[in-house]
Amino acid sequence: MNGLEAGRRRLANGCLSDLALDQLWTGESAGTPLEQSRRAHLSTCANCTRRLQEIEASAAVFRARPGGASLVGERLRARSRRRWAWSAGTALFAGAAAALLLLVRPADPLETGVRLKGAAVGLTAYVKRRSGTVEVLPEGGVAQPGDVLRFVVTPRHDGFVGVVSIDGAGEVNVYAPQGAELVSVRAGQAFSLPGGIELDPALGRERLIAFACPKPLPKATLQERVATLVRGRQALPDQPLDVGNDCVQSSLWFEKVQSR
Amino acid sequence: MGMHEVDELYRRFGPLVFRRARTLLGDEQAASDAVQEVFMRTLRSHDGFRHEASPITWLYRITTNYCLNILRNNSRHRLRLAERMASQPDEQAATGFDPEVPLLLAEILERLPVELCEIATYYYVDCLSHDEIADVIGTSRRTVGNRLREFHEQTEALFRLDKEVLA
């Protein structure tokens, strides 16, 4: 304890805490009565003035360091990609589990909002808002960074499925947990892909595509093929993407907007 | 939140997060990692952060909780600090930076609840007043006083126990 108590003793009575100094030099307390009293103290206290100068000098050194905010952005995007491989143990939709069970059954695709293209695979996306509500994400719907998406795919034939997302910048991610291959599914069964993905801060239009393939396909291969098809395009592709392997697909797009 | 907004937040508040993390963790690289992690958490909760009356008190709390977790759970980090203290006894005089603080915090964290250690960090390391601590953690001044008293009593009890064991 002596070491910690010594830290406390470095401040004389009435001196400003580090928090107070931080609020001063960042401008957070600007214009407040608190700012005035703190500035009044500074004008008479050499110790606090010295500490404030040291803080400002160290801030300048920090700001001159390379990387910084861009590294934060890179780590966010990397973590967003890793979330596509979320383990089946994650219970993100605990509060809406009952609702999901009602929907995870063979049903009339038009009733549940499933998107069918070629009538060979259905895709339903559910969004859990940060408020906790869970709802179907319709074609052209809106989501926000921090919302969580979960998918139900309904293949017409036995095969292997995965969901691909393409954002406005052309970045492609594949969601198909349980290993390096697409997920094996049975014909006619609505299959809820376990886990979920948390939407990253990048705004704009995104497209979700459910692929159903008759034979196993590595996720990396699917990702590369989709990325090749969208590379260089100026707008998000609306037409089906020919990824080969006799895969069929269904897609929907949504808009990721700023939080209100 | 666009990159421009991220840049602005980082430029404005990054230095204070780095400074506190360096004090609490005793290591520049660990402090750099802490800055990245704190800002990532802030961006994920950016709506809540945006509505904070004082973003700095929010950042103080997130930084403290992150650093205390590192000190409590990362035994390799503690070992590096201890080795550095042994090999560079004059580090504080040379750099103005005291490596004893994170080691003391780590030792206390092993024996006391993290909630008490958090308040003790604000009081002893950051030298915050009771009112300021109440603002940071979102409680009353009275509760802060009670928690600090509890921290004193528990550390005194541990000190007495240590003396008995060592005697």
Side-chain angles (χ1 to χ4, degrees):
Chain A
M1 267 291 289
N2 285 342
L4 291 184
E5 285 169 345
R8 184 79 194 174
R9 286 196 292 272
R10 69 183 165 90
L11 283 194
N13 275 339
C15 274
L16 301 177
S17 67
D18 285 353
L19 174 67
L21 291 177
D22 281 330
Q23 288 176 326
L24 269 175
W25 74 266
T26 59
E28 187 177 274
S29 58
T32 65
L34 207 52
E35 162 108 349
Q36 291 171 8
S37 65
R38 288 169 175 174
R39 291 276 175 208
H41 173 83
L42 274 178
S43 66
T44 61
C45 180
N47 183 40
C48 287
T49 300
R50 177 189 53 77
R51 285 170 56 224
L52 181 61
Q53 288 168 347
E54 287 171 355
I55 286 173
E56 288 172 328
S58 69
V61 171
F62 176 84
R63 285 172 178 154
R65 291 152 59 106
S70 60
L71 289 177
V72 174
E74 275 306 308
R75 282 183 62 169
L76 270 173
R77 291 183 83 81
R79 191 169 289 193
S80 167
R81 285 193 289 273
R82 283 199 296 276
R83 283 204 180 87
W84 281 99
W86 208 308
S87 74
T90 304
L92 285 173
F93 284 69
L100 267 180
L101 283 173
L102 286 175
L103 290 162
V104 179
R105 71 195 194 291
D108 180 350
L110 292 177
E111 180 185 338
T112 57
V114 169
R115 297 285 305 168
L116 291 177
K117 200 155 188 170
V121 61
L123 168 65
T124 306
Y126 295 91
V127 55
K128 182 179 181 182
R129 309 286 181 188
R130 281 175 300 162
S131 62
T133 57
V134 178
E135 55 202 19
V136 171
L137 183 66
E139 172 88 346
V142 168
Q144 296 171 348
D147 288 348
V148 178
L149 299 187
R150 193 161 177 177
F151 308 109
V152 173
V153 292
T154 313
R156 183 103 6 149
H157 307 286
D158 289 355
F160 300 84
V161 299
V163 174
V164 169
S165 84
I166 310 169
D167 68 17
E171 182 161 350
V172 176
N173 285 289
V174 178
Y175 176 56
Q178 301 171 6
E181 308 270 339
L182 301 187
V183 175
S184 171
V185 294
R186 300 297 303 273
Q189 281 186 329
F191 180 77
S192 171
L193 291 175
I197 57 149
E198 183 176 326
L199 295 178
D200 67 16
L203 302 179
R205 181 171 290 203
E206 294 200 11
R207 187 176 174 201
L208 300 168
I209 311 175
F211 285 98
C213 307
K215 294 176 185 173
L217 182 67
K219 286 187 284 190
T221 303
L222 177 62
Q223 183 171 9
E224 178 54 31
R225 288 179 184 177
V226 172
T228 300
L229 290 167
V230 303
R231 196 170 295 140
R233 292 191 191 212
Q234 295 194 341
L236 214 54
D238 290 323
Q239 301 304 311
L241 301 176
D242 184 9
V243 297
N245 284 57
D246 297 320
C247 296
V248 294
Q249 61 197 266
S250 176
S251 75
L252 67 87
W253 68 270
F254 69 96
E255 195 79 29
K256 204 194 302 174
V257 300
Q258 190 86 350
S259 309
R260 283 183 283 280
Chain B
M1 185 183 284
M3 276 312 295
H4 174 74
E5 213 172 337
V6 173
D7 277 341
E8 185 50 38
L9 276 179
Y10 195 89
R11 180 183 158 72
R12 190 175 176 203
F13 299 119
L16 72 91
V17 173
F18 177 78
R19 192 188 75 243
R20 290 199 68 247
R22 194 180 65 165
T23 299
L24 296 176
L25 296 176
D27 181 272
E28 287 222 353
Q29 183 55 54
S32 293
D33 291 344
V35 173
Q36 299 290 319
E37 185 62 33
V38 165
F39 272 88
M40 286 179 61
R41 292 181 188 189
T42 299
L43 290 176
R44 284 201 295 272
S45 316
H46 74 270
D47 243 18
F49 174 79
R50 201 187 294 253
H51 294 133
E52 280 290 316
S54 169
I56 289 181
T57 56
W58 167 292
L59 288 167
Y60 260 55
R61 188 133 207 231
I62 294 190
T63 306
T64 303
N65 287 335
Y66 173 81
C67 292
L68 292 184
N69 272 336
I70 292 289
L71 290 174
R72 187 178 53 184
N73 300 325
N74 192 329
S75 55
R76 275 190 302 172
H77 180 80
R78 294 199 302 271
L79 187 60
R80 277 200 308 271
L81 286 174
E83 287 172 349
R84 207 168 87 210
M85 258 192 75
S87 64
Q88 299 173 32
D90 297 325
E91 180 173 2
Q92 183 176 8
T95 64
F97 170 64
D98 186 358
E100 193 185 359
V101 167
L103 283 172
L104 276 172
L105 286 173
E107 188 180 336
I108 293 168
L109 279 164
E110 282 185 353
R111 309 171 84 172
L112 294 183
V114 67
E115 298 78 21
L116 294 185
C117 296
E118 183 189 359
I119 289 184
T121 300
Y122 296 131
Y123 188 72
Y124 289 108
V125 180
D126 297 305
C127 302
L128 268 54
S129 66
H130 287 206
D131 282 326
E132 287 171 330
I133 296 174
D135 274 344
V136 170
I137 67 174
T139 189
S140 69
R141 193 177 187 283
R142 172 180 286 190
T143 299
V144 171
N146 290 341
R147 292 283 179 273
L148 280 172
R149 198 170 312 118
E150 200 178 331
F151 176 80
H152 273 289
E153 288 167 2
Q154 292 204 24
T155 48
E156 286 292 308
L158 287 173
F159 181 64
R160 279 197 299 275
L161 187 64
D162 286 348
K163 282 181 75 174
E164 287 168 15
V165 168
L166 292 170

